Amino acid sequence: MKAVLCPQPGRLEIVERASVPAPSAGWVRVAVSHVGICGTDYHIFAGKHPFLEYPRVMGHEISATVLANGPETTIAPGTPVVVNPYLSCGACVACRRGKPNCCTAIKVLGVHTDGAFCEEILIPEGNLYPAIDLTPEAAATVEFLAIGAHAVRRAAAPSGNRALVIGAGPIGLGTAIFSRIAGHAVTLMDTSAERLAFATDRLGFGPGILADARSGERVAEATDDDGFDVVFDATGHGGSMEAAFGHVAHGGTLVFVSVVKDDIRFSDPEFHKREMTLIGSRNATREDFDHVVNAIRQGLVPVETLITHRTTMEAMVEDLPRWANEKSGLVKAIVRIAAA
């Protein structure tokens, strides 16, 4: 079968690989339909991912169709599915507590093991969720949207709360959309006026806050000096994450949707006097995937607006390197794997 391989940073190539073997007990062979390009994929291509071994087949935002079942599986061949790319061990402390999204031995397709920029893959049946009534492109957006949906669920902020989402990239926009679905009054903050304009003009959010030296003043103006009830930081930038503490209202909640290798420092008196809640949010669970699928079915997620770029498996060898540097107008790119 054909696959797109990243043999080393800065290189992509189409290769021929051995066909996927028959699935073993509990596993399913699927034909990959569409795959979204994630920020992680751009980082892998650029050689900026700290925990990755090359060569690697990337791709973890996946829609597919079931081809063949292994023993002890029940999903029917021909079923369109969304793939949960987080392979968990099922036995560690997190898995025992129903949190496979933060499994101690987690393997993410396309990162810790080869992913879906190829024609077929094997996947545990428990990681497949039916995508009935979703287009294959829409199904390929579910995983990245589930990241934001999970963060919003983790926050447990009541409807009517004022929410600030810092970072208007794909994960931030997904977080903002599901924060709005949860009934929050959502404001976005970003260093890019273009991204804030996209959120306002195309997604229907109110005026955003430009992240600069006056961000704190603008947050105060927008909240009558109270701060936001819940703040989501989806920037992947340590400085932004540290500054986010100052945007939270007394009694409020700060959720770190993104992760950085840096130490995050904050003023304990400022943190303590607010009786602030600090939450980490990692990946997503079946509950979040289901929530996203239902929201798309109900027309609550403007999938067609979020998908700004499209390509094929053959063309992505040139397109992905270009998009890694040309970000203007780019929100989510989708790769068509299946033959037209």
Side-chain angles (χ1 to χ4, degrees), residues 191-337:
T191 57
S192 168
E194 178 185 357
R195 287 186 175 184
L196 293 177
F198 179 90
T200 299
D201 300 340
R202 302 295 306 281
L203 300 179
F205 290 101
I209 296 175
L210 191 64
D212 59 17
R214 294 193 58 241
S215 297
E217 298 173 35
R218 295 191 178 103
V219 167
E221 292 168 1
T223 61
D224 298 321
D225 290 326
D226 284 340
F228 286 90
D229 302 305
V230 57
V231 175
F232 301 93
D233 191 288
T235 63
H237 185 275
S240 174
M241 294 165 75
E242 292 182 351
F245 285 85
H247 304 326
V248 181
H250 281 235
T253 299
L254 173 59
V255 183
F256 284 157
V257 190
S258 55
V259 62
V260 294
K261 290 179 64 179
D262 311 324
D263 290 339
I264 301 298
R265 299 177 180 275
F266 59 91
S267 165
D268 183 62
E270 290 297 319
F271 174 77
H272 202 83
K273 77 180 184 182
R274 286 172 166 80
E275 198 178 54
M276 186 193 303
T277 300
L278 177 62
I279 295 174
S281 182
R282 185 182 184 193
N283 298 328
T285 65
R286 173 68 185 261
E287 182 177 351
D288 307 305
F289 278 78
D290 287 345
H291 181 33
V292 172
V293 169
N294 289 331
I296 293 174
R297 287 174 178 156
Q298 294 170 34
L300 300 176
V301 182
V303 171
E304 284 299 317
T305 302
L306 293 170
I307 300 173
T308 55
H309 293 57
R310 292 173 170 87
T311 188
T312 63
M313 185 164 61
E314 292 76 11
M316 72 168 286
V317 173
E318 294 183 0
D319 288 338
L320 188 150
R322 184 173 71 256
W323 295 335
N325 297 303
E326 298 176 6
K327 298 293 189 183
S328 180
L330 175 64
V331 177
K332 177 55 60 177
I334 300 288
V335 182
R336 177 170 54 80
I337 304 295

Side-chain angles (χ1 to χ4, degrees), residues 145-217:
L145 291 167
I147 301 293
H150 183 72
V152 172
R153 183 164 65 88
R154 290 274 291 146
S159 176
N161 269 198
R162 291 188 293 194
L164 176 67
V165 178
I166 308 172
I171 299 299
L173 291 175
T175 303
I177 288 168
F178 280 89
S179 182
R180 180 167 63 187
I181 289 171
H184 304 154
V186 181
T187 300
L188 284 114
M189 176 189 290
D190 199 276
T191 57
S192 168
E194 178 185 357
R195 287 186 175 184
L196 293 177
F198 179 90
T200 299
D201 300 340
R202 302 295 306 281
L203 300 179
F205 290 101
I209 296 175
L210 191 64
D212 59 17
R214 294 193 58 241
S215 297
E217 298 173 35

Side-chain angles (χ1 to χ4, degrees), residues 82-126:
V82 173
V83 176
N84 178 336
Y86 320 129
L87 306 183
S88 56
C89 72
C92 73
V93 60
C95 290
R96 295 196 305 271
R97 292 175 175 173
K99 294 177 68 68
N101 57 301
C102 56
C103 168
T104 62
I106 198 166
K107 291 185 178 180
V108 179
L109 293 179
V111 181
H112 307 101
T113 187
D114 281 344
F117 286 138
C118 58
E119 294 177 311
E120 298 179 5
I121 60 172
L122 290 174
I123 195 78
E125 183 181 31

